[in-house]
Amino acid sequence: MTDKNIIAGAPTEEPARQQYFMEQVKKLVEAESAKKGRPLTCFINTFGCQMNARDSEKLLGILKEAGYEEGTDENSDFVLYNTCTVRENANLKVYGRLGYLSGVKRKNPDMMIALCGCMMQEPEVVAKIKKSYRHVDLIFGTHNIFKLAELLYERFMEKKMVVDVWEGTNEIVEELPIERKYPFKSGVNIMFGCNNFCSYCIVPYVRGRERSREPEDIIKEIEGLVADGVVEVMLLGQNVNSYGKNLEQPITFAELLRRVEKIEGLERIRFMTSHPKDLSDELIETMKNSKKICSHLHLPLQSGSSEILKRMNRKYSKEQYLALVEKLRAAMPDISLTTDIIVGFPGETEEDFEETMDVVRKVRYDSAFTFIYSKRTGTPAAAMPNQVPEDVVKNRFDRLLREVQDIAAEVVKRHEGTVQKVLVEEIDTHEAGFVTGRLSNNTVVHFAGDASLIGKIVDVSLDEAKGFYYMGSLVK
Ligand code: SAH
Ligand code: SF4
Ligand code: F3S
């Protein structure tokens, strides 16, 4: 550190320490901006899942508090990539963008490039960037995003690449500024990390061990959001069904939901992701009796073959999964089910794949994310024999996708001709004079309307199902 005195003057407690650094950076940003005669801009490119999207809102909140204005693209003074490493192609995209950024930086040498997120938790990635992407200014990980202002200050002072990646943490720093993407809906972290170690998955290694937030903190955050105009929350965790088990005063996820339900002014509650192995009868009962929990459950299957599921370390069998679906449908006949499926896990035979197709045909999902298995170094599956040849995987993937889409088109159609509550989200990007919204079950509907409807829950007649979405009309 060049200026140890100033750092020494910083508070040691969080979040006061970060407040202090946001003020320090703001002075530097203002000085730069006076020199350039224009505001300094920042731009965050987010890869990966809802957790990363929520983290990016926190990062943008810090940057704005530190004096940056939000830019529209990578021609900005501070560019941050919040990365994902769940599959190889998420990784490759980031390297591609970094190559492009070196050209941008040549034109604007004062710009700063920062990388954070899951990829940065992998030592070989950081080593590669240090060696081959010297134009990067700042690298940090998933455990210390709250430290952005401090790290940025360090970079301003040091004038060389700053790297700070933590292996893990028990710390949950609350109450830093957040800049939400939507005024009317928001993600809310209820837990961080994952303890499940599915054998193909890198998330537990890059997000660390499971940590639940205190229910009081979650409720307080949601109350604040509602006071600020939010009507829909998405409770986020890698496995929300194990929420609260390790708190000093344990509480179940269902109990948390019942407390969230009581928040006045909140209209809709969603959550992600629900691991089938931990889905309790208490949760089904709570969902069934709730007026606010949406009529949708994302229930990742991964594979329909009990043998593959065992090797995936998913801790349920095909039969158990199907029994769970039956129980859910008995309690909530109209619930929409969606899922994630991996094709081409090591050793997957044609028979195993047919088991997956069988589950798809039996459950009849409203939609499904289908993925080609991607080998992640360091996970148990990467070392398994019999990796499936690419052409075989591709063929299975195409067959699965077709089946999923055909079924989804039929299933989604079931509400055609009915009137449903829709939360209006944005102006339609395809058709002028139209807006886009979502049903409780998460299906998208487009209908004639204007910006004044955004954030409102309105009645919409679902006139025509078009595959995975509807064209509708506003019921006045
Ligand atoms: N915690 C969530 C999933 C997070 S990752 C859950 O358990 O459901 C999102 C999805 O990415 C997973 O459900 C899985 O289908 C997919 N995925 C994870 N690792 C993968 C890999 N190595 N190759 C292909 N898909 C993978
Ligand atoms: Fe990955 Fe499994 Fe954890 Fe989901 S539950 S994040 S798939 S290890
Ligand atoms: Fe990707 Fe990290 Fe999410 S690896 S899927 S961004 S938890």
Side-chain angles (χ1 to χ4, degrees):
M1 209 67 288
T2 27
D3 200 338
K4 290 218 180 334
N5 292 332
I6 293 185
I7 302 274
T12 47
E13 294 290 307
E14 299 295 2
R17 186 176 171 83
Q18 297 313 314
Q19 292 293 354
Y20 170 87
F21 282 110
M22 283 185 264
E23 284 161 30
Q24 298 302 314
V25 173
K26 192 169 184 172
K27 288 182 199 155
L28 297 167
V29 167
E30 277 170 358
E32 274 291 305
S33 142
K35 244 194 273 171
K36 291 190 190 298
R38 59 166 180 82
L40 293 199
T41 55
C42 67
F43 180 72
I44 304 179
N45 195 349
T46 309
F47 301 83
C49 65
Q50 306 269 0
M51 319 272 164
N52 261 18
R54 183 62 176 159
D55 285 351
S56 287
E57 293 185 341
K58 296 180 181 173
L59 293 161
L60 183 60
I62 294 172
L63 289 172
K64 287 189 108 172
E65 191 77 16
Y68 286 96
E69 280 189 9
E70 193 179 358
T72 49
D73 60 23
E74 275 129 327
N75 294 301
S76 294
D77 299 291
F78 184 82
V79 172
L80 172 61
Y81 284 173
N82 190 5
T83 63
C84 168
T85 187
V86 76
R87 286 169 290 275
E88 171 101 53
N89 50 11
N91 249 280
L92 296 176
K93 262 191 241 161
V94 170
Y95 289 122
R97 294 309 291 171
L98 274 182
Y100 162 78
L101 274 190
S102 88
V104 180
K105 192 163 183 168
R106 239 173 275 131
K107 279 185 239 147
N108 178 12
D110 289 341
M111 90 181 276
M112 282 192 205
I113 300 171
L115 299 170
C116 68
C118 296
M119 248 175 104
M120 300 307 125
Q121 293 294 138
E122 297 178 276
E124 51 293 353
V125 169
V126 175
K128 180 169 169 169
I129 291 165
K130 279 184 175 163
K131 184 162 171 276
S132 311
Y133 298 85
R134 297 292 310 163
H135 56 294
V136 171
D137 297 280
L138 173 57
I139 297 177
F140 55 104
T142 56
H143 301 297
N144 56 347
I145 63 161
F146 70 90
K147 262 186 81 179
L148 173 59
E150 181 171 350
L151 296 169
L152 195 53
Y153 179 77
E154 215 173 294
R155 172 61 189 77
F156 268 112
M157 292 300 158
E158 296 247 343
K159 308 218 182 311
K160 62 172 203 243
M161 194 192 279
V162 170
V163 181
D164 188 14
V165 179
W166 300 359
E167 260 176 48
T169 185
N170 291 319
E171 207 173 355
I172 298 179
V173 180
E174 311 261 356
E175 294 181 22
L176 285 168
I178 301 182
E179 184 72 25
R180 291 200 315 276
K181 189 171 170 199
Y182 298 97
F184 53 86
K185 68 169 183 177
S186 179
V188 174
N189 299 109
I190 62 166
M191 59 207 297
F192 302 93
C194 182
N195 285 353
N196 289 306
F197 291 95
C198 302
S199 64
Y200 50 83
C201 183
I202 200 158
V203 171
Y205 305 87
V206 294
R207 285 274 170 176
R209 291 300 62 73
E210 198 175 283
R211 301 171 304 282
S212 293
R213 284 176 74 196
E214 291 295 338
E216 292 75 25
D217 291 335
I218 296 169
I219 300 292
K220 209 168 97 192
E221 180 177 343
I222 300 176
E223 284 171 345
L225 289 166
V226 170
D228 199 32
V230 164
V231 293
E232 177 180 304
V233 289
M234 165 88 89
L235 308 180
L236 298 172
Q238 293 298 350
N239 176 15
V240 293
N241 294 332
S242 67
Y243 168 78
K245 286 189 179 151
N246 299 321
L247 285 173
E248 225 158 84
Q249 286 182 319
I251 147 171
T252 62
F253 177 55
E255 171 66 30
L256 176 73
L257 281 171
R258 292 196 294 272
R259 290 203 206 167
V260 174
E261 170 112 14
K262 291 198 190 112
I263 299 176
E264 226 167 289
L266 182 68
E267 305 272 357
R268 285 180 167 186
I269 306 168
R270 299 186 186 280
F271 53 85
M272 249 184 124
T273 295
S274 207
H275 194 307
K277 82 177 159 75
D278 297 314
L279 200 151
S280 65
D281 291 348
E282 188 198 4
L283 176 64
I284 299 178
E285 216 27 51
T286 300
M287 289 181 77
K288 183 181 162 182
N289 296 329
S290 164
K291 298 210 162 44
K292 297 185 180 175
I293 300 173
C294 287
S295 174
H296 170 217
L297 186 69
H298 186 66
L299 194 64
L301 168 69
Q302 312 302 1
S303 168
S305 150
S306 296
E307 176 54 34
I308 296 286
L309 284 168
K310 200 186 220 160
R311 277 192 275 134
M312 285 179 161
N313 195 28
R314 289 290 288 182
K315 304 201 169 72
Y316 53 85
S317 64
K318 176 188 183 187
E319 291 68 31
Q320 283 167 327
Y321 185 96
L322 287 172
L324 181 58
V325 168
E326 219 164 278
K327 210 158 41 165
L328 282 160
R329 289 238 164 97
M332 295 166 279
D334 193 41
I335 192 167
S336 289
L337 296 176
T338 59
T339 200
D340 291 348
I341 299 170
I342 297 175
V343 181
F345 184 82
E348 182 189 76
T349 62
E350 182 58 28
E351 290 70 40
D352 292 321
F353 175 71
E354 277 303 332
E355 299 279 2
T356 300
M357 291 286 262
D358 186 45
V359 176
V360 165
R361 288 183 196 116
K362 288 197 166 109
V363 177
R364 300 178 61 76
Y365 296 101
D366 276 65
S367 81
F369 296 105
T370 50
F371 304 107
I372 288 181
Y373 167 73
S374 172
K375 189 169 163 175
R376 307 315 287 133
T377 311
T379 62
M384 287 182 188
N386 305 322
Q387 303 273 334
V388 186
E390 217 172 288
D391 55 328
V392 176
V393 181
K394 186 79 187 59
N395 174 281
R396 287 179 195 160
F397 181 83
D398 291 343
R399 281 152 61 203
L400 175 65
L401 191 61
R402 218 172 307 130
E403 193 70 48
V404 160
Q405 285 174 344
D406 288 352
I407 292 173
E410 289 170 22
V411 173
V412 168
K413 214 177 163 66
R414 74 187 181 281
H415 294 125
E416 201 176 57
T418 65
V419 172
Q420 304 272 343
K421 297 256 176 255
V422 171
L423 172 58
V424 186
E425 300 202 330
E426 54 206 356
I427 295 287
D428 195 329
T429 44
H430 297 291
E431 204 151 343
F434 277 62
V435 289
T436 300
R438 272 175 206 275
L439 309 187
S440 165
N441 76 5
N442 214 32
T443 305
V444 166
V445 50
H446 305 282
F447 60 98
D450 59 37
S452 69
L453 294 174
I454 293 175
K456 297 204 172 109
I457 295 179
V458 294
D459 286 327
V460 175
S461 154
L462 305 179
D463 302 330
E464 196 187 354
K466 299 251 190 194
F468 59 91
Y469 66 91
Y470 279 104
M471 294 308 294
S473 48
L474 187 64
V475 178
K476 296 262 161 73

